[in-house]
Each structure stands twice: as structure tokens, then as C-alpha cells.
Amino acid sequence: MKKSNLLISVLLAFSSLNASEVLSKETLGQVLYFDVNLSKNRTQSCATCHNPNAGFVDDRNNGVNKMVSLGDDGKSLGDREAPTASYAKFSPKFHFDEKKQKYVGGQFWDGRAATLEEQAGGPPLNPIEMGMANKKEIIERIKENSLYVDSFKNIFGKDIFEDENKAYDAMTIAIASFERTDEFSPFDSKYDRYLKGEYDLTPLEDLGKSIFFSNNNNSCANCHVLKGEDKAGETFTNYEYHNIGTPENKELRAKNGVKTIDEGLLANPNVTDINQKGKHKVPTLRNVAVTAPYMHNGVFKDLKTVVEFYDKYNNKDRTINLETGKSWDEPEVKDTISIKELRANALNDRKVEALVAFMKLLTDKKYEYLLDK
């Protein structure tokens, strides 16, 4: 795998610094993002599971065909796919929208981190991810690096290391500030260029766009449109939580040993409403074509399969999962499926292909070469 341009820029930044110099907040966050020393065995960084070369997801095989991430210990497997960190900064703080009567925003599939800063602070302390024992241990690792020490003191105050909780929060603030840079959200896909008059859609892409944004024909726009058709800055998610009837990933569960139902939003400690069971955050469709596998548990390998899965709710002929050659598996959680939002007209095969073609348009320019892989 080629080195990330971001990682190269980090190395260049280090090599050009004098001993007396310090880093800006964003650059400090960038260096921390790539630092494997923040994991127990010094093998894993934020970039391991959110690779800038791969749409900010985990593109390692991990013995499970990229379905979930492998921990720093070399054996622990998660039960949910690492969400992309691209465009994550646009997710609002986790809250209950009184008008919609829905939970909205936050980070992770269940919104348990209210903000980008909280998300950045999660993996280092997760025993099956980066595996550090506590905040103090992490701060001690940071203090091993004199450039870190000087930069933390310059940005957050000379007494920042006197309180390990404040120092840890400072680390998450720095990482989140890097994740808010345009590197994570360039808005330069073919779709964005089309909006600027710099790209002409093919007939298939144009058909896919029309279907995607049509509430009368398809259900995509119910959850994957925030601003509206042809609006600049669209992130292709409304940040709500829904149960779309995703089946259990039996292949994954056979390897990670998990036997409990994924309760989705109900697993969030701030949510107690049983009606939220099985609901997961609506992900952005930005870079979706290059960040397989799909769904919160990586159960589907191909984007076309995902479209056909949605279509099965409205198409009596869409009975077979072409990846398995068998009937679609039952939902892991049946009682809370968003049937209203899933209701749409049936799709023929050309319309399925058109929707896939449209979603490929949402790939950032730097990842377009991955579409051919």
C-alpha cells in the first residue's frame, strides 16, 4: 500500500521543525491521528481504522473481509464496521429532536459520542481497539514526545499536564480539529463538479440522480438528503437513526464470537426507549462506492446488493440475495423497522444500476481511482 499523502506531510513537517518550534492545533491533531504510540502495543493509530487512502475507513482484511476492525492486540474483532471519518464534522451534536420526535446526530453507529471530540477519545480506551488502560497511561505516552509537550503547553496552557483529564480532552480537541479540515471533506466529487458546470452526467448517472431525489419513485431521499436536490454541500444523510431490517452477519459472528443482538441506538447509554432498538445512524453516502462492505455490520459486499436489499421491500420479485444465491436473511431486529421511510416504487434492473452509477458520482476526486479496483 502506498503511503498516505497526509502521512508524508506529517513526516515532512517533523523533519523541517527546529527543536524550539511547536505545532499548530490542526497539525498537532494530524500527527496524533497517525501516532501508533497511543495504542497499548504501539501498533495502531486513528488512521489504522480510518485510513486516509481508503475513504477514511479500515481497508485491512482483518480475517473477516474488512467487515470490522482488528484491535491493537492482534486478535480482538469488533461487531460493527468502522464508519468513515470523512464528512463526520457535519454531524450535529447528539440530541433528541422534539419536532421530529427522533434522535439525531452524534458519532458512532449508535451516537454514543455526542461530538467529534468525544469520538476521538473513544478508541484509545476501548479494550478491543487501541487498548490503553486509562487516560493517565495515554498522557504518559504523549509526554514521551518533547514536541507534543511543547505544543500542548503552547496551545492549551503551560499547566495542561497537571490534570490528566484536561490533557486528554486537549488531545481529543486537537484530533477533532484536524478532522474538521478540508482534507476530510473536500466536496470535489464528480457530483460537486457537475453542480459547478464542470462535469456532464452520463445518461445512466442522470437517471440515477432523478430516481435518487424523487420521493415519488424511491426512498433514498427520505434519509439520505439533508439540503435538497442539487444543493452545494449536501452530505447525503439526515443524521437520523433507522432500522432498515439489516440481517445478522453470521459470517462475522462465527469469527468474533458475539452472540447478543446488536441493539443499535438502544445501546447508547443516553437512550432508554425500547422503540429505538435496532436503529442505526444513517451514514453519509459520500465515498460510499469505495468504502465496502456495507451496513453497520458489513454484511453486504457490493453496493448493488444494498440497493436490491432496499428494493425487496417494494418489489415482490426481488427475493434473492445475489451474493449468497439464497433468500434474504431475516432482520436481526424485526419490531422497529422503518417501513414508512422504506416505502417506494419497485425498481427494475436498469434503475438499480442507475442508482449505483449515481452513488459512484459521490466519490471524492482523490479516491476516484479506487472505483476501478
mmCIF file with all atom_site columns, all heavy atoms in Angstrom, residues 1-9 11 34 51-53 369:
data_model
loop_
_atom_site.group_PDB
_atom_site.id
_atom_site.type_symbol
_atom_site.label_atom_id
_atom_site.label_alt_id
_atom_site.label_comp_id
_atom_site.label_asym_id
_atom_site.label_entity_id
_atom_site.label_seq_id
_atom_site.pdbx_PDB_ins_code
_atom_site.Cartn_x
_atom_site.Cartn_y
_atom_site.Cartn_z
_atom_site.occupancy
_atom_site.B_iso_or_equiv
_atom_site.pdbx_formal_charge
_atom_site.auth_seq_id
_atom_site.auth_comp_id
_atom_site.auth_asym_id
_atom_site.auth_atom_id
_atom_site.pdbx_PDB_model_num
ATOM 1   N N   . MET A 1 1   ? 0.847  -1.204 0.000  1.00 0.00 ? 1   MET A N   1
ATOM 2   C CA  . MET A 1 1   ? 0.000  0.000  0.000  1.00 0.00 ? 1   MET A CA  1
ATOM 3   C C   . MET A 1 1   ? 0.879  1.250  0.000  1.00 0.00 ? 1   MET A C   1
ATOM 4   O O   . MET A 1 1   ? 1.841  1.328  0.748  1.00 0.00 ? 1   MET A O   1
ATOM 5   C CB  . MET A 1 1   ? -0.869 0.002  1.266  1.00 0.00 ? 1   MET A CB  1
ATOM 6   C CG  . MET A 1 1   ? -1.789 1.206  1.353  1.00 0.00 ? 1   MET A CG  1
ATOM 7   S SD  . MET A 1 1   ? -2.593 1.290  2.958  1.00 0.00 ? 1   MET A SD  1
ATOM 8   C CE  . MET A 1 1   ? -3.458 -0.276 2.957  1.00 0.00 ? 1   MET A CE  1
ATOM 9   N N   . LYS A 1 2   ? 0.540  2.200  -0.828 1.00 0.00 ? 2   LYS A N   1
ATOM 10  C CA  . LYS A 1 2   ? 1.354  3.417  -0.851 1.00 0.00 ? 2   LYS A CA  1
ATOM 11  C C   . LYS A 1 2   ? 1.085  4.244  0.388  1.00 0.00 ? 2   LYS A C   1
ATOM 12  O O   . LYS A 1 2   ? 0.018  4.195  0.993  1.00 0.00 ? 2   LYS A O   1
ATOM 13  C CB  . LYS A 1 2   ? 1.028  4.227  -2.100 1.00 0.00 ? 2   LYS A CB  1
ATOM 14  C CG  . LYS A 1 2   ? -0.379 4.797  -2.124 1.00 0.00 ? 2   LYS A CG  1
ATOM 15  C CD  . LYS A 1 2   ? -0.604 5.602  -3.389 1.00 0.00 ? 2   LYS A CD  1
ATOM 16  C CE  . LYS A 1 2   ? -1.996 6.219  -3.406 1.00 0.00 ? 2   LYS A CE  1
ATOM 17  N NZ  . LYS A 1 2   ? -2.227 6.999  -4.608 1.00 0.00 ? 2   LYS A NZ  1
ATOM 18  N N   . LYS A 1 3   ? 2.124  5.006  0.778  1.00 0.00 ? 3   LYS A N   1
ATOM 19  C CA  . LYS A 1 3   ? 1.974  5.850  1.953  1.00 0.00 ? 3   LYS A CA  1
ATOM 20  C C   . LYS A 1 3   ? 0.952  6.947  1.692  1.00 0.00 ? 3   LYS A C   1
ATOM 21  O O   . LYS A 1 3   ? 0.872  7.498  0.602  1.00 0.00 ? 3   LYS A O   1
ATOM 22  C CB  . LYS A 1 3   ? 3.312  6.491  2.328  1.00 0.00 ? 3   LYS A CB  1
ATOM 23  C CG  . LYS A 1 3   ? 4.225  5.590  3.148  1.00 0.00 ? 3   LYS A CG  1
ATOM 24  C CD  . LYS A 1 3   ? 5.422  6.384  3.652  1.00 0.00 ? 3   LYS A CD  1
ATOM 25  C CE  . LYS A 1 3   ? 6.303  5.547  4.545  1.00 0.00 ? 3   LYS A CE  1
ATOM 26  N NZ  . LYS A 1 3   ? 7.468  6.322  5.023  1.00 0.00 ? 3   LYS A NZ  1
ATOM 27  N N   . SER A 1 4   ? 0.191  7.271  2.721  1.00 0.00 ? 4   SER A N   1
ATOM 28  C CA  . SER A 1 4   ? -0.769 8.358  2.595  1.00 0.00 ? 4   SER A CA  1
ATOM 29  C C   . SER A 1 4   ? -0.046 9.682  2.390  1.00 0.00 ? 4   SER A C   1
ATOM 30  O O   . SER A 1 4   ? 0.989  9.947  2.994  1.00 0.00 ? 4   SER A O   1
ATOM 31  C CB  . SER A 1 4   ? -1.618 8.417  3.866  1.00 0.00 ? 4   SER A CB  1
ATOM 32  O OG  . SER A 1 4   ? -2.299 9.626  3.959  1.00 0.00 ? 4   SER A OG  1
ATOM 33  N N   . ASN A 1 5   ? -0.598 10.522 1.527  1.00 0.00 ? 5   ASN A N   1
ATOM 34  C CA  . ASN A 1 5   ? -0.040 11.864 1.355  1.00 0.00 ? 5   ASN A CA  1
ATOM 35  C C   . ASN A 1 5   ? -0.055 12.632 2.660  1.00 0.00 ? 5   ASN A C   1
ATOM 36  O O   . ASN A 1 5   ? 0.818  13.454 2.936  1.00 0.00 ? 5   ASN A O   1
ATOM 37  C CB  . ASN A 1 5   ? -0.834 12.622 0.286  1.00 0.00 ? 5   ASN A CB  1
ATOM 38  C CG  . ASN A 1 5   ? -0.602 12.068 -1.101 1.00 0.00 ? 5   ASN A CG  1
ATOM 39  O OD1 . ASN A 1 5   ? 0.444  11.492 -1.375 1.00 0.00 ? 5   ASN A OD1 1
ATOM 40  N ND2 . ASN A 1 5   ? -1.580 12.245 -1.983 1.00 0.00 ? 5   ASN A ND2 1
ATOM 41  N N   . LEU A 1 6   ? -1.085 12.359 3.475  1.00 0.00 ? 6   LEU A N   1
ATOM 42  C CA  . LEU A 1 6   ? -1.159 13.011 4.778  1.00 0.00 ? 6   LEU A CA  1
ATOM 43  C C   . LEU A 1 6   ? -0.010 12.580 5.666  1.00 0.00 ? 6   LEU A C   1
ATOM 44  O O   . LEU A 1 6   ? 0.606  13.380 6.363  1.00 0.00 ? 6   LEU A O   1
ATOM 45  C CB  . LEU A 1 6   ? -2.496 12.667 5.457  1.00 0.00 ? 6   LEU A CB  1
ATOM 46  C CG  . LEU A 1 6   ? -3.711 13.464 5.023  1.00 0.00 ? 6   LEU A CG  1
ATOM 47  C CD1 . LEU A 1 6   ? -4.953 12.921 5.698  1.00 0.00 ? 6   LEU A CD1 1
ATOM 48  C CD2 . LEU A 1 6   ? -3.534 14.925 5.358  1.00 0.00 ? 6   LEU A CD2 1
ATOM 49  N N   . LEU A 1 7   ? 0.291  11.266 5.659  1.00 0.00 ? 7   LEU A N   1
ATOM 50  C CA  . LEU A 1 7   ? 1.382  10.764 6.483  1.00 0.00 ? 7   LEU A CA  1
ATOM 51  C C   . LEU A 1 7   ? 2.711  11.338 6.015  1.00 0.00 ? 7   LEU A C   1
ATOM 52  O O   . LEU A 1 7   ? 3.562  11.723 6.820  1.00 0.00 ? 7   LEU A O   1
ATOM 53  C CB  . LEU A 1 7   ? 1.425  9.233  6.427  1.00 0.00 ? 7   LEU A CB  1
ATOM 54  C CG  . LEU A 1 7   ? 2.541  8.554  7.244  1.00 0.00 ? 7   LEU A CG  1
ATOM 55  C CD1 . LEU A 1 7   ? 2.481  9.001  8.692  1.00 0.00 ? 7   LEU A CD1 1
ATOM 56  C CD2 . LEU A 1 7   ? 2.442  7.045  7.128  1.00 0.00 ? 7   LEU A CD2 1
ATOM 57  N N   . ILE A 1 8   ? 2.890  11.427 4.706  1.00 0.00 ? 8   ILE A N   1
ATOM 58  C CA  . ILE A 1 8   ? 4.116  12.013 4.164  1.00 0.00 ? 8   ILE A CA  1
ATOM 59  C C   . ILE A 1 8   ? 4.255  13.465 4.608  1.00 0.00 ? 8   ILE A C   1
ATOM 60  O O   . ILE A 1 8   ? 5.338  13.909 4.996  1.00 0.00 ? 8   ILE A O   1
ATOM 61  C CB  . ILE A 1 8   ? 4.118  11.915 2.625  1.00 0.00 ? 8   ILE A CB  1
ATOM 62  C CG1 . ILE A 1 8   ? 4.256  10.437 2.201  1.00 0.00 ? 8   ILE A CG1 1
ATOM 63  C CG2 . ILE A 1 8   ? 5.244  12.737 2.026  1.00 0.00 ? 8   ILE A CG2 1
ATOM 64  C CD1 . ILE A 1 8   ? 4.084  10.210 0.716  1.00 0.00 ? 8   ILE A CD1 1
ATOM 65  N N   . SER A 1 9   ? 3.139  14.198 4.590  1.00 0.00 ? 9   SER A N   1
ATOM 66  C CA  . SER A 1 9   ? 3.196  15.601 5.010  1.00 0.00 ? 9   SER A CA  1
ATOM 67  C C   . SER A 1 9   ? 3.524  15.713 6.493  1.00 0.00 ? 9   SER A C   1
ATOM 68  O O   . SER A 1 9   ? 4.192  16.666 6.915  1.00 0.00 ? 9   SER A O   1
ATOM 69  C CB  . SER A 1 9   ? 1.865  16.310 4.707  1.00 0.00 ? 9   SER A CB  1
ATOM 70  O OG  . SER A 1 9   ? 0.822  15.808 5.498  1.00 0.00 ? 9   SER A OG  1
ATOM 71  N N   . LEU A 1 11  ? 5.458  13.576 8.162  1.00 0.00 ? 11  LEU A N   1
ATOM 72  C CA  . LEU A 1 11  ? 6.885  13.304 8.270  1.00 0.00 ? 11  LEU A CA  1
ATOM 73  C C   . LEU A 1 11  ? 7.716  14.504 7.821  1.00 0.00 ? 11  LEU A C   1
ATOM 74  O O   . LEU A 1 11  ? 8.734  14.837 8.440  1.00 0.00 ? 11  LEU A O   1
ATOM 75  C CB  . LEU A 1 11  ? 7.233  12.074 7.426  1.00 0.00 ? 11  LEU A CB  1
ATOM 76  C CG  . LEU A 1 11  ? 6.591  10.752 7.882  1.00 0.00 ? 11  LEU A CG  1
ATOM 77  C CD1 . LEU A 1 11  ? 6.895  9.645  6.884  1.00 0.00 ? 11  LEU A CD1 1
ATOM 78  C CD2 . LEU A 1 11  ? 7.083  10.357 9.264  1.00 0.00 ? 11  LEU A CD2 1
ATOM 79  N N   . PHE A 1 34  ? -1.975 9.961  13.365 1.00 0.00 ? 34  PHE A N   1
ATOM 80  C CA  . PHE A 1 34  ? -1.149 8.903  12.781 1.00 0.00 ? 34  PHE A CA  1
ATOM 81  C C   . PHE A 1 34  ? -0.236 8.211  13.801 1.00 0.00 ? 34  PHE A C   1
ATOM 82  O O   . PHE A 1 34  ? 0.542  7.342  13.420 1.00 0.00 ? 34  PHE A O   1
ATOM 83  C CB  . PHE A 1 34  ? -0.281 9.485  11.660 1.00 0.00 ? 34  PHE A CB  1
ATOM 84  C CG  . PHE A 1 34  ? -1.043 9.803  10.409 1.00 0.00 ? 34  PHE A CG  1
ATOM 85  C CD1 . PHE A 1 34  ? -1.498 11.089 10.171 1.00 0.00 ? 34  PHE A CD1 1
ATOM 86  C CD2 . PHE A 1 34  ? -1.322 8.829  9.473  1.00 0.00 ? 34  PHE A CD2 1
ATOM 87  C CE1 . PHE A 1 34  ? -2.201 11.395 9.016  1.00 0.00 ? 34  PHE A CE1 1
ATOM 88  C CE2 . PHE A 1 34  ? -2.020 9.118  8.309  1.00 0.00 ? 34  PHE A CE2 1
ATOM 89  C CZ  . PHE A 1 34  ? -2.463 10.402 8.084  1.00 0.00 ? 34  PHE A CZ  1
ATOM 90  N N   . ASN A 1 51  ? -8.433 5.033  7.407  1.00 0.00 ? 51  ASN A N   1
ATOM 91  C CA  . ASN A 1 51  ? -7.293 5.234  6.516  1.00 0.00 ? 51  ASN A CA  1
ATOM 92  C C   . ASN A 1 51  ? -7.569 6.337  5.492  1.00 0.00 ? 51  ASN A C   1
ATOM 93  O O   . ASN A 1 51  ? -8.505 6.226  4.690  1.00 0.00 ? 51  ASN A O   1
ATOM 94  C CB  . ASN A 1 51  ? -6.995 3.916  5.801  1.00 0.00 ? 51  ASN A CB  1
ATOM 95  C CG  . ASN A 1 51  ? -5.753 3.975  4.938  1.00 0.00 ? 51  ASN A CG  1
ATOM 96  O OD1 . ASN A 1 51  ? -5.133 5.022  4.774  1.00 0.00 ? 51  ASN A OD1 1
ATOM 97  N ND2 . ASN A 1 51  ? -5.383 2.845  4.373  1.00 0.00 ? 51  ASN A ND2 1
ATOM 98  N N   . PRO A 1 52  ? -6.754 7.407  5.479  1.00 0.00 ? 52  PRO A N   1
ATOM 99  C CA  . PRO A 1 52  ? -6.950 8.480  4.501  1.00 0.00 ? 52  PRO A CA  1
ATOM 100 C C   . PRO A 1 52  ? -6.801 8.027  3.057  1.00 0.00 ? 52  PRO A C   1
ATOM 101 O O   . PRO A 1 52  ? -7.274 8.697  2.150  1.00 0.00 ? 52  PRO A O   1
ATOM 102 C CB  . PRO A 1 52  ? -5.846 9.484  4.866  1.00 0.00 ? 52  PRO A CB  1
ATOM 103 C CG  . PRO A 1 52  ? -5.491 9.171  6.275  1.00 0.00 ? 52  PRO A CG  1
ATOM 104 C CD  . PRO A 1 52  ? -5.668 7.705  6.429  1.00 0.00 ? 52  PRO A CD  1
ATOM 105 N N   . ASN A 1 53  ? -6.155 6.888  2.835  1.00 0.00 ? 53  ASN A N   1
ATOM 106 C CA  . ASN A 1 53  ? -6.008 6.369  1.481  1.00 0.00 ? 53  ASN A CA  1
ATOM 107 C C   . ASN A 1 53  ? -7.225 5.594  1.009  1.00 0.00 ? 53  ASN A C   1
ATOM 108 O O   . ASN A 1 53  ? -7.297 5.209  -0.159 1.00 0.00 ? 53  ASN A O   1
ATOM 109 C CB  . ASN A 1 53  ? -4.796 5.427  1.401  1.00 0.00 ? 53  ASN A CB  1
ATOM 110 C CG  . ASN A 1 53  ? -3.510 6.162  1.089  1.00 0.00 ? 53  ASN A CG  1
ATOM 111 O OD1 . ASN A 1 53  ? -3.543 7.329  0.709  1.00 0.00 ? 53  ASN A OD1 1
ATOM 112 N ND2 . ASN A 1 53  ? -2.393 5.506  1.264  1.00 0.00 ? 53  ASN A ND2 1
ATOM 113 N N   . TYR A 1 369 ? -9.781 6.777  -8.421 1.00 0.00 ? 369 TYR A N   1
ATOM 114 C CA  . TYR A 1 369 ? -9.031 5.648  -8.975 1.00 0.00 ? 369 TYR A CA  1
ATOM 115 C C   . TYR A 1 369 ? -9.435 4.324  -8.319 1.00 0.00 ? 369 TYR A C   1
ATOM 116 O O   . TYR A 1 369 ? -9.296 3.251  -8.915 1.00 0.00 ? 369 TYR A O   1
ATOM 117 C CB  . TYR A 1 369 ? -7.523 5.881  -8.829 1.00 0.00 ? 369 TYR A CB  1
ATOM 118 C CG  . TYR A 1 369 ? -6.981 5.656  -7.435 1.00 0.00 ? 369 TYR A CG  1
ATOM 119 C CD1 . TYR A 1 369 ? -6.392 4.439  -7.081 1.00 0.00 ? 369 TYR A CD1 1
ATOM 120 C CD2 . TYR A 1 369 ? -7.061 6.646  -6.459 1.00 0.00 ? 369 TYR A CD2 1
ATOM 121 C CE1 . TYR A 1 369 ? -5.898 4.224  -5.808 1.00 0.00 ? 369 TYR A CE1 1
ATOM 122 C CE2 . TYR A 1 369 ? -6.572 6.448  -5.190 1.00 0.00 ? 369 TYR A CE2 1
ATOM 123 C CZ  . TYR A 1 369 ? -5.983 5.241  -4.859 1.00 0.00 ? 369 TYR A CZ  1
ATOM 124 O OH  . TYR A 1 369 ? -5.500 5.025  -3.587 1.00 0.00 ? 369 TYR A OH  1
#
